[in-house]
Amino acid sequence: MQTLSEENYLKAIYNLDKQGLKKITPTAISEALNNNPASVVDMLRKLVEKKLLQYEKSKGVKLTEKGRNIAILIVRKHRLWEVFLLEKLGYGWEEVHEMAEQLEHVQHAELADRLDKFLGFPEYDPHGDPIPKANGETAVTYKTVLAEIPEGGSCRVVAVKDTSPAFLQYLKKLDIGIGTKITMIEKIPFDSSVIIKLGKSNTTTVSRVFAENLVVHE
Amino acid sequence: MQTLSEENYLKAIYNLDKQGLKKITPTAISEALNNNPASVVDMLRKLVEKKLLQYEKSKGVKLTEKGRNIAILIVRKHRLWEVFLLEKLGYGWEEVHEMAEQLEHVQHAELADRLDKFLGFPEYDPHGDPIPKANGETAVTYKTVLAEIPEGGSCRVVAVKDTSPAFLQYLKKLDIGIGTKITMIEKIPFDSSVIIKLGKSNTTTVSRVFAENLVVHE
DNA sequence: TATATTTATTAGGCAAGACTAATTTTTCAC
DNA sequence: GTGAAAAATTAGTCTTGCCTAATAAATATA
Ligand SMILES: [Mn+2]
Ligand SMILES: [Mn+2]
Ligand SMILES: [Mn+2]
Ligand SMILES: [Mn+2]
């Protein structure tokens, strides 16, 4: 059994790995958890002791099979609870993440599977992230962001990278959600803002930061 | 905002009060929480500081309005989550309490009300305990236990006092649940065991401890 | 390669929440 | 009312998880 804090470290490390970070360092982890590298070093020692990860200064941090399984289960629970909160309790997609951060730590052997079944085995969470299956398999995450689409190209929104209420509320205001079709009209060289067209409606200009946090496909 | 530990103290004190204990002492609280009176004294100091309760050695502990409201909300969430786990996820009544102990601490202003609505505003939890309403009102709890029914008298199960899996599994085995009709056949003076009849089926003998943990009405 | 900068680690502390072992109060019994 | 027993409180520790400051190690840079 792990503490809540240990679970959050495992999840953070798992996510950094999924994001493609090749060398996972104490500093990277401390940035993800918004705490101090010294605290991370303490905790890494403890997690190595518990055989949940390996740490060599040259290679960085690697989860063991056991550590990764725990991390996957937490992510699975997190995303399933987000679906529950949105679909069953009617919360908005900008509200569910914070509660899921608490719910993901609720412990019971069958909980994830029962929730999964109750929700009808959803494949994606409200932010477009794939929900790991009971056997631990996870669909590949799309990595292309709107900023990478060439002028004239078009795509559909498949996920958001940033799940902060600020970003999600802005998307809601622009009427952009998972599945929305976007055409890249023009890229402004000065500050990398982009002009896009939503469906067949009017065009909008969004910032570089915006365009780098919207995950698209096609 | 309170810590998880503070919430558990408030809930324990609220429950002792509901059970009719006139003077709530550090020892009583430590027994409810399965910890040490010395720890309780530390925490009481902190909760007095936060104006969540008052403590005078002569009168014992009393929750303030603020403290009681927090306690009621925790109990409300606990019981609503129990209904959710039983009705929506299909758990048994002996399994839900442990998870509800975790879920009751999930924080969000609207959570209890949304859950309540989703569940169809249930009045009682799986163990027969009344679910506090959004405005804080709570139906009176029945207090008569099976042991108090006179020979020849009959009654219906309305709740269980003990919610441990051991007791609930035993009840399940005896096919006793909320609503089951029981007739008191005989009380054995020697050890206060009682012989009861379930519905119109056969008779069974149960212990004094058993008879004191089954709440009945009529 | 030597120096500057960044990163990692160690050392020393702090707050929360619990515990054990005194010690002081209260309560009970006679 | 006195002495014994029970309850409450205090004192002193421990663990977890975090922090800051100091030091050591690794990287970059010139
Ligand atoms: Mn989330
Ligand atoms: Mn999500
Ligand atoms: Mn319960
Ligand atoms: Mn209950």
Side-chain angles (χ1 to χ4, degrees):
Chain A
M1 193 83 306
Q2 320 67 231
T3 64
L4 186 146
S5 197
E6 287 168 356
E7 290 194 345
N8 282 332
Y9 275 89
L10 294 175
K11 183 180 61 155
I13 292 163
Y14 174 81
N15 283 335
L16 289 172
D17 186 49
K18 275 272 158 178
Q19 285 166 218
L21 190 66
K22 50 214 155 181
K23 191 178 172 186
I24 299 174
T25 63
T27 303
I29 297 170
S30 76
E31 276 159 13
L33 291 174
N34 242 299
N35 69 1
N36 195 291
S39 310
V40 175
V41 171
D42 281 351
M43 183 59 91
L44 289 181
R45 200 168 288 124
K46 192 172 153 195
L47 294 173
V48 165
E49 184 61 37
K50 286 192 164 193
K51 298 199 197 302
L52 297 173
L53 56 81
Q54 292 171 271
Y55 178 40
E56 296 170 66
K57 58 232 151 238
S58 53
K59 296 180 161 188
V61 174
K62 279 264 170 317
L63 294 176
T64 60
E65 172 111 29
K66 192 176 162 197
R68 185 168 40 255
N69 286 340
I70 293 168
I72 289 171
L73 180 58
I74 296 166
V75 169
R76 174 165 155 82
K77 285 190 284 187
H78 180 106
R79 294 179 183 168
L80 286 169
W81 279 118
E82 285 189 346
V83 173
F84 168 76
L85 293 169
L86 190 107
E87 302 211 329
K88 304 297 183 180
L89 299 195
Y91 276 106
W93 77 338
E94 77 284 6
E95 301 177 290
V96 301
H97 177 76
E98 191 193 333
M99 268 175 283
E101 288 288 315
Q102 303 172 62
L103 288 162
E104 71 191 5
H105 301 289
V106 175
Q107 302 280 350
H108 187 278
E110 299 163 27
L111 183 55
D113 294 349
R114 283 184 184 257
L115 195 55
D116 198 13
K117 183 178 175 189
F118 173 63
L119 297 171
F121 306 103
E123 297 195 16
Y124 294 92
D125 84 4
H127 312 104
D129 293 311
I131 297 172
K133 294 290 155 199
N135 62 17
E137 275 171 32
T138 307
V140 255
T141 315
Y142 291 106
K143 295 225 174 80
T144 314
V145 293
L146 178 62
E148 296 171 64
I149 302 297
E151 286 183 357
S154 74
C155 57
R156 282 188 185 281
V157 175
V158 294
V160 291
K161 261 181 129 162
D162 180 355
T163 59
S164 70
F167 184 50
L168 299 176
Q169 264 155 16
Y170 185 27
L171 285 168
K172 207 179 227 179
K173 186 176 163 188
L174 295 176
D175 204 31
I176 295 174
I178 304 298
T180 301
K181 187 181 172 187
I182 298 181
T183 306
M184 178 64 70
I185 305 296
E186 192 183 342
K187 299 177 137 175
I188 310 293
F190 169 62
D191 61 359
S192 304
S193 295
V194 301
I195 304 178
I196 57 178
K197 185 166 166 180
L198 304 173
K200 26 198 79 168
S201 81
N202 53 332
T203 65
T204 325
T205 304
V206 297
S207 73
R208 188 178 85 98
V209 175
F210 182 104
E212 282 177 346
N213 276 293
L214 207 55
V215 184
V216 298
H217 184 54
E218 206 92 329
Chain B
M1 193 80 309
Q2 319 67 233
T3 64
L4 185 145
S5 199
E6 287 167 357
E7 290 194 345
N8 283 331
Y9 275 90
L10 294 174
K11 184 181 59 155
I13 292 162
Y14 174 81
N15 284 333
L16 289 172
D17 185 49
K18 275 274 158 178
Q19 286 167 216
L21 190 66
K22 50 214 154 181
K23 190 177 172 189
I24 299 174
T25 62
T27 304
I29 298 171
S30 76
E31 275 159 15
L33 291 175
N34 238 300
N35 70 0
N36 195 292
S39 311
V40 175
V41 171
D42 281 350
M43 183 59 92
L44 289 181
R45 200 168 287 124
K46 192 172 155 196
L47 294 173
V48 166
E49 184 61 36
K50 286 192 165 193
K51 300 198 195 304
L52 297 173
L53 55 82
Q54 293 171 271
Y55 177 39
E56 295 170 68
K57 57 229 151 242
S58 53
K59 298 180 160 189
V61 174
K62 279 265 170 315
L63 293 176
T64 61
E65 171 111 29
K66 193 177 162 197
R68 186 168 38 256
N69 286 340
I70 292 169
I72 290 171
L73 180 58
I74 296 166
V75 169
R76 173 164 155 83
K77 285 191 285 184
H78 181 106
R79 295 179 182 166
L80 286 169
W81 279 118
E82 286 189 344
V83 173
F84 169 75
L85 293 170
L86 189 107
E87 301 212 330
K88 304 298 182 179
L89 299 195
Y91 276 106
W93 78 337
E94 76 283 7
E95 301 177 290
V96 302
H97 177 76
E98 190 193 333
M99 269 176 283
E101 287 289 315
Q102 304 171 61
L103 287 162
E104 70 190 6
H105 301 290
V106 174
Q107 304 279 350
H108 188 277
E110 300 164 26
L111 184 54
D113 294 350
R114 283 183 182 257
L115 195 54
D116 198 13
K117 183 178 176 191
F118 173 63
L119 297 171
F121 305 104
E123 299 195 15
Y124 294 92
D125 84 2
H127 311 104
D129 293 311
I131 297 172
K133 295 290 155 201
N135 62 15
E137 276 171 33
T138 306
V140 255
T141 313
Y142 292 107
K143 294 227 173 79
T144 314
V145 293
L146 179 61
E148 298 171 64
I149 301 297
E151 286 183 359
S154 75
C155 57
R156 282 189 187 280
V157 176
V158 295
V160 290
K161 261 181 131 163
D162 179 355
T163 59
S164 70
F167 185 51
L168 299 176
Q169 265 155 16
Y170 185 28
L171 285 168
K172 205 180 230 179
K173 185 177 162 185
L174 295 176
D175 206 30
I176 296 174
I178 305 300
T180 301
K181 187 181 173 188
I182 298 181
T183 307
M184 178 64 70
I185 305 296
E186 191 184 345
K187 297 176 136 174
I188 309 293
F190 170 61
D191 59 359
S192 304
S193 295
V194 302
I195 303 179
I196 57 178
K197 184 165 162 181
L198 304 174
K200 26 196 82 166
S201 80
N202 52 334
T203 67
T204 325
T205 305
V206 296
S207 73
R208 188 177 86 98
V209 176
F210 183 103
E212 282 178 347
N213 275 294
L214 207 55
V215 185
V216 299
H217 184 54
E218 204 91 331

